[in-house]
């Protein structure tokens, strides 16, 4: 069983920086990490990737050969990757024994709430290689400073969650820079917990650009409220504590914290519904406890 993350989000949300920082943090806590770059438009990587889609197909070649723009080229590349999934599976097999996987995807949002190619690639990998993946959807925190953009980010997050059908965590990235864009209309908790969106209506009405779409915005906010599944966690990728808290959430969502535990359903439940501030070493302690109990049981019987 192999664990990992599917890193997605709009352009500029910090996906590549996230993969670089996350891999460094995971290595610090003792995990072997392999980054898989599946963004054919990313030609300046700050990290060393174990697999690079450019070894299979290059966006520049696709745009030249088929007279496509960057968006159409990326759709073509994902379609080509899906049809050549055997190439990716063969590259991944040597990493499955002891690596934690980070998949760095393109920033074209249509790939993750409209087109099926990227979803099909992930689904095939999960089924064929027995992967346990969490979708990490990054959104730039500065969108909170503009009510209209924040509602758009909520809609994008909701659409992506419903389309991808994976354990999913929405992240407000670059949270350390949020104050550079002015004072927020509400406390940060309002934006992370996605509280009553009707309170945003007054602020939207103050903007002449969005006032004419008042009814549409109200209906969209009701859709988000009715689903009631979108929330955010915050991230400063340069802050170890911030990254560590996020890793704990990820490990809960994809089941990493249960790996290697041969315990009762009761113990699993305690961990699953417990607070996120679990100890990294608790897994080993629980496993040791149950091994000791098994030994005592064998001796007595």
């Amino acid at each position: 069983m192999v664990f990992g993350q599917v890193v997605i989000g709009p352009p500029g949300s910090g996906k590549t920086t996230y993969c670089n920082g996350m891999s460094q943090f995971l290595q610090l806590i003792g995990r072997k990490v392999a980054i898989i770059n599946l963004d054919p438009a990313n030609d300046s990587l700050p990290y060393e990737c174990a697999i690079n889609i450019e070894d299979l197909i290059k966006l520049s070649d696709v745009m030249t050969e088929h007279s496509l723009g960057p968006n159409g080229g990326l759709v073509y590349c994902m379609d080509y990757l899906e049809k050549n999934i055997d190439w990716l599976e063969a590259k991944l097999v040597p990493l499955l024994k002891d690596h934690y996987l980070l998949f760095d995807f393109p920033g074209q949002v249509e790939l993750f709430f409209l087109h099926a190619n990227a979803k099909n690639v992930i689904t095939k990998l999960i089924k064929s290689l027995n992967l346990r993946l969490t979708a990490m959807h990054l959104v730039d925190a500065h969108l909170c400073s503009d009510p209209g953009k924040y509602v758009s980010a909520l809609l994008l997050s909701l659409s992506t969650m419903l389309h991808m059908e994976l354990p999913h965590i929405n992240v407000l990235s670059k949270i350390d820079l949020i104050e550079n864009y002015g004072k927020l209309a509400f406390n940060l908790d309002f934006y992370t917990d996605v509280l009553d969106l009707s309170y945003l209506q007054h602020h939207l009405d103050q903007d002449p650009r969005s006032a004419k779409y008042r009814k549409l915005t109200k209906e969209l906010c009701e859709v988000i409220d009715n689903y009631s599944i979108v929330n955010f966690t915050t991230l400063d990728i340069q802050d170890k504590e911030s990254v560590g808290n996020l890793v704990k959430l990820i490990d809960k969502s994809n089941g990493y914290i249960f790996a290697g535990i041969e315990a009762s359903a009761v113990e699993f439940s305690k961990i699953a519904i417990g607070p996120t501030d679990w100890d990294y070493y608790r897994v080993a302690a629980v496993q040791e406890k149950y091994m000791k109990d098994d030994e005592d049981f064998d001796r007595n019987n």
Side-chain angles (χ1 to χ4, degrees):
M1 190 179 297
V2 183
F3 300 89
Q5 304 173 31
V6 174
V7 184
I8 57 179
S13 57
K15 296 181 297 298
T16 298
T17 302
Y18 172 90
C19 288
N20 187 32
M22 179 60 69
S23 66
Q24 294 179 27
F25 180 87
L26 292 173
Q27 289 172 29
L28 283 174
I29 62 174
R31 302 186 196 177
K32 293 183 69 174
V33 180
I35 305 179
I36 297 90
N37 176 45
L38 297 181
D39 183 359
N42 195 349
D43 53 4
S44 56
L45 299 172
Y47 54 74
E48 181 179 350
C49 56
I51 303 172
N52 194 340
I53 192 175
E54 288 201 340
D55 295 335
L56 175 69
I57 188 170
K58 293 185 178 181
L59 178 62
S60 56
D61 294 343
V62 169
M63 293 171 63
T64 301
E65 183 176 346
H66 299 282
S67 300
L68 294 171
N71 288 345
L74 283 170
V75 173
Y76 183 97
C77 289
M78 284 296 109
D79 185 56
Y80 190 84
L81 177 61
E82 182 186 358
K83 288 179 170 59
N84 293 272
I85 194 68
D86 292 344
W87 173 85
L88 183 55
E89 290 177 352
K91 293 278 189 179
L92 283 169
V93 166
L95 304 174
L96 299 182
K97 184 178 180 181
D98 56 357
H99 281 78
Y100 186 97
L101 306 178
L102 296 176
F103 292 88
D104 189 1
F105 272 88
Q108 187 183 5
V109 296
E110 297 95 322
L111 295 173
F112 305 103
F113 75 86
L114 186 61
H115 298 288
N117 308 96
K119 176 184 176 181
N120 291 341
V121 167
I122 296 168
T123 302
K124 289 178 180 178
L125 292 178
I126 290 174
K127 290 182 178 179
S128 63
L129 302 179
N130 194 26
L131 305 183
R132 297 292 183 270
L133 303 177
T134 292
M136 303 301 301
H137 186 242
L138 273 59
V139 175
D140 196 323
H142 91 270
L143 297 180
C144 296
S145 62
D146 185 317
K149 292 179 180 177
Y150 175 67
V151 172
S152 297
L154 290 174
L155 279 174
L156 175 61
S157 300
L158 175 60
S159 301
T160 304
M161 292 175 77
L162 296 175
H163 183 74
M164 295 298 290
E165 297 181 325
L166 286 173
H168 193 105
I169 297 176
N170 295 304
V171 180
L172 290 177
S173 61
K174 308 178 186 178
I175 196 67
D176 51 313
L177 304 177
I178 194 170
E179 293 182 355
N180 296 348
Y181 299 94
K183 186 178 179 181
L184 297 178
F186 303 98
N187 290 334
L188 185 60
D189 288 348
F190 176 88
Y191 299 94
T192 56
D193 296 340
V194 191
L195 302 175
D196 190 348
L197 295 180
S198 63
Y199 289 107
L200 281 178
Q201 198 67 49
H202 171 73
H203 293 275
L204 287 165
D205 292 344
Q206 306 305 309
D207 187 345
R209 296 171 300 174
S210 58
K212 59 190 290 189
Y213 304 112
R214 181 183 306 165
K215 187 175 179 181
L216 173 62
T217 303
K218 181 181 178 182
E219 296 295 330
L220 292 176
C221 288
E222 287 182 2
V223 170
I224 297 167
D225 281 334
N226 288 340
Y227 272 97
S228 193
I229 59 174
V230 181
N231 57 23
F232 293 95
T233 187
T234 60
L235 175 66
D236 174 3
I237 195 62
Q238 298 178 335
D239 185 333
K240 290 182 180 179
E241 183 178 356
S242 178
V243 179
N245 289 334
L246 181 58
V247 168
K248 294 170 186 176
L249 285 175
I250 298 167
D251 288 350
K252 265 195 168 186
S253 67
N254 61 21
Y256 183 90
I257 60 173
F258 303 114
I261 300 181
E262 297 179 2
S264 66
V266 173
E267 185 61 31
F268 280 129
S269 300
K270 287 179 182 178
I271 299 175
I273 66 174
T276 57
D277 56 345
W278 55 276
D279 188 348
Y280 279 109
Y281 302 101
R282 185 181 175 196
V283 170
V286 171
Q287 187 174 17
E288 182 180 352
K289 174 184 180 297
Y290 277 89
M291 287 176 63
K292 184 177 183 299
D293 290 346
D294 288 343
E295 291 174 359
D296 292 343
F297 180 82
D298 290 341
R299 269 198 306 271
N300 295 331
N301 294 274

